[in-house]
Amino acid sequence: MTKQVLLLPGDGIGPEIVAQAVKVLDVLNTKYNLDINMTEGLVGGAAYDVHGHPLPDETLKAALAADAILLGAVGGYQWESLDISVRPEKGLLGIRSNLKLFANLRPAMLYPQLANASTLKPEVVSGLDILIVRELTGGIYFGQPRGIRTLENGERQGYNTYVYSETEIKRIGHVAFQAAMKRNKKVCSVDKANVLEVTELWREVMTDLAKEYPEVQLSHMYVDNAAMQLVRNPKQFDVIVTGNMFGDILSDEASMLTGSIGMLPSASLDAHNKGMYEPSHGSAPDIAGQNLANPLATILSAAMMLRYSLGREDLAVKVEQAVSAVLDQGLRTGDIFSEGMTRVSTSQMGDAVVAQL
Ligand code: IPM
Ligand code: MG
């Protein structure tokens, strides 16, 4: 049966990079019997400008009905002064929570062709292959109560609540342990259990859960130490599992070990592998509309979509091989450019991947 894919290009470089992934999916549709129907919707600032809300009802409906979603990026300077309740980011957060996309998979792997693009020494990062499993629908991002209140002395106070239930911790833990079973069988759970009770519980639940996965080696690390270890010796990690905010921060850090955040895809999955796929990077408003952005993270996100939500591992591998082949050809967008390589635009990079397919 034809699967429905919702495209949400969003803001900034979003439309340009999603367009490249669509070219790739079009080829798979016509040449490799990928049976998907793509429709487009508005999210983020683009949706706010038309509907006054970053997640309009019709977008949410389409998202709920789709088999998978491919998102570009949201946000930009012109929406930064908006109230937090209608900022572009709320569009993204709204899809994550309404669709219960609690499991965020953020791989950070170094393409050998790009070893020189990292700011770290090649011996520290060569062969790097980490998976960050970030809890995405709980923690301090969604905890209640939250807000800004006025105290008796007239001063204002901002507050958020950091909460995790055992159920929430367990289900993200299972995702991490199961991923580790297919990889190097190591899970490092990152918390701040020396200070925060919520992560004391997190650590306890992860420790219990590990008993169900005797082959997997579980370790625990405080988040400050994890941030340090990631740049000191990143190859000690296989799977890192952590809460929403720590995962947000550590995944940006991990991405830069690989040279460019422009290369890294992500998947946000519910309990049934329905998912939203997006590059790990943001909307890069400074280079938007200039055909400069690296579309490979989005193309690789489409590959993850093929793998997890569309049941086409074969095509996922084909796309990943095509990306590797264009890197072998020496094609580079500005973010991954180095001496002796061929500088290409967003659309040229998309065309090169299509040509490989
Ligand atoms: C991310 C982004 C989002 C987040 C923002 C845009 C809300 O930084 O996907 O990592 O913090 O989750
Ligand atoms: Mg982030």
Side-chain angles (χ1 to χ4, degrees):
M1 215 178 72
T2 306
K3 298 235 163 109
Q4 302 298 326
V5 172
L6 177 67
L7 305 170
L8 297 176
D11 309 321
I13 59 172
E16 300 159 65
I17 53 178
V18 168
Q20 308 315 312
V22 169
K23 282 189 211 166
V24 169
L25 292 168
D26 276 336
V27 177
L28 301 181
N29 250 346
T30 51
K31 285 210 153 168
Y32 296 97
N33 302 316
L34 172 67
D35 192 9
I36 61 167
N37 176 40
M38 293 180 266
T39 55
E40 207 172 300
L42 289 172
V43 75
Y48 176 84
D49 288 346
V50 176
H51 297 282
H53 197 279
L55 181 57
D57 283 345
E58 57 189 75
T59 300
L60 180 57
K61 254 192 219 141
L64 287 163
D67 294 295
I69 301 163
L70 185 66
L71 184 133
V74 298
Y77 311 128
Q78 65 267 51
W79 303 290
E80 266 170 20
S81 55
L82 290 178
D83 187 83
I84 204 166
S85 63
V86 289
R87 280 182 60 140
E89 290 80 357
K90 270 283 182 252
L92 193 57
L93 296 170
I95 294 178
R96 289 174 181 172
S97 63
N98 278 289
L99 273 67
K100 304 187 174 59
L101 307 176
F102 68 90
N104 186 212
L105 310 182
R106 298 195 164 179
M109 56 175 282
L110 184 90
Y111 282 81
Q113 300 96 323
L114 300 180
N116 290 327
S118 176
T119 49
L120 274 75
K121 292 187 193 129
E123 65 264 30
V124 176
V125 290
S126 72
L128 182 81
D129 181 3
I130 301 177
L131 177 67
I132 297 193
V133 177
R134 168 187 176 194
E135 201 291 327
L136 202 59
T137 53
I140 198 162
Y141 271 50
F142 291 94
Q144 295 289 347
R146 60 192 296 154
I148 300 174
R149 61 192 164 205
T150 305
L151 301 176
E152 271 169 24
N153 68 3
E155 186 192 13
R156 289 183 310 152
Q157 182 187 56
Y159 58 102
N160 287 88
T161 308
Y162 192 174
V163 279
Y164 270 121
S165 68
E166 289 179 296
T167 312
E168 287 175 312
I169 302 168
K170 252 189 218 152
R171 66 180 183 180
I172 195 67
H174 278 299
V175 171
F177 281 106
Q178 279 160 20
M181 287 296 287
K182 295 188 196 146
R183 297 172 45 101
N184 291 325
K185 300 197 167 63
K186 288 200 302 185
V187 170
C188 178
S189 171
V190 171
D191 61 40
K192 190 73 185 176
N194 50 345
V195 179
L196 305 172
E197 287 81 355
V198 47
T199 64
E200 196 185 346
L201 180 68
W202 176 283
R203 188 175 279 224
E204 199 185 303
V205 172
M206 288 295 172
T207 304
D208 269 359
L209 204 57
K211 295 177 191 140
E212 295 178 37
Y213 300 89
E215 284 170 62
V216 178
Q217 179 200 330
L218 171 70
S219 59
H220 303 276
M221 208 179 267
Y222 298 139
V223 63
D224 48 349
N225 186 26
M228 179 185 75
Q229 295 297 337
L230 266 176
V231 286
R232 192 186 74 86
N233 176 21
K235 283 189 273 180
Q236 70 185 284
F237 296 108
D238 176 24
V239 175
I240 292 177
V241 63
T242 190
N244 205 341
M245 186 165 66
F246 296 161
D248 179 41
I249 299 165
L250 293 181
S251 61
D252 264 34
E253 186 187 2
S255 73
M256 256 346 253
L257 303 173
T258 71
S260 175
I261 197 169
M263 293 297 301
L264 297 178
S266 78
S268 307
L269 305 175
D270 75 1
H272 314 285
N273 282 345
K274 174 169 168 166
M276 175 160 70
Y277 300 83
E278 56 180 308
S280 277
H281 60 71
S283 60
D286 52 324
I287 57 164
Q290 299 171 47
N291 207 16
L292 288 175
N294 186 348
L296 294 179
T298 313
I299 291 172
L300 292 167
S301 299
M304 287 186 100
M305 174 171 87
L306 292 161
R307 174 171 292 124
Y308 292 109
S309 290
L310 302 177
R312 293 300 301 266
E313 171 72 25
D314 58 328
L315 297 185
V317 171
K318 269 203 167 36
V319 172
E320 287 161 354
Q321 285 169 346
V323 167
S324 205
V326 301
L327 294 175
D328 285 336
Q329 289 171 352
L331 305 186
R332 302 283 188 273
T333 42
D335 57 315
I336 51 175
F337 182 76
S338 61
E339 266 310 293
M341 298 292 132
T342 309
R343 195 185 281 268
V344 295
S345 67
T346 308
S347 52
Q348 284 169 332
M349 189 62 113
D351 290 341
V353 176
V354 166
Q356 284 298 326
L357 293 165

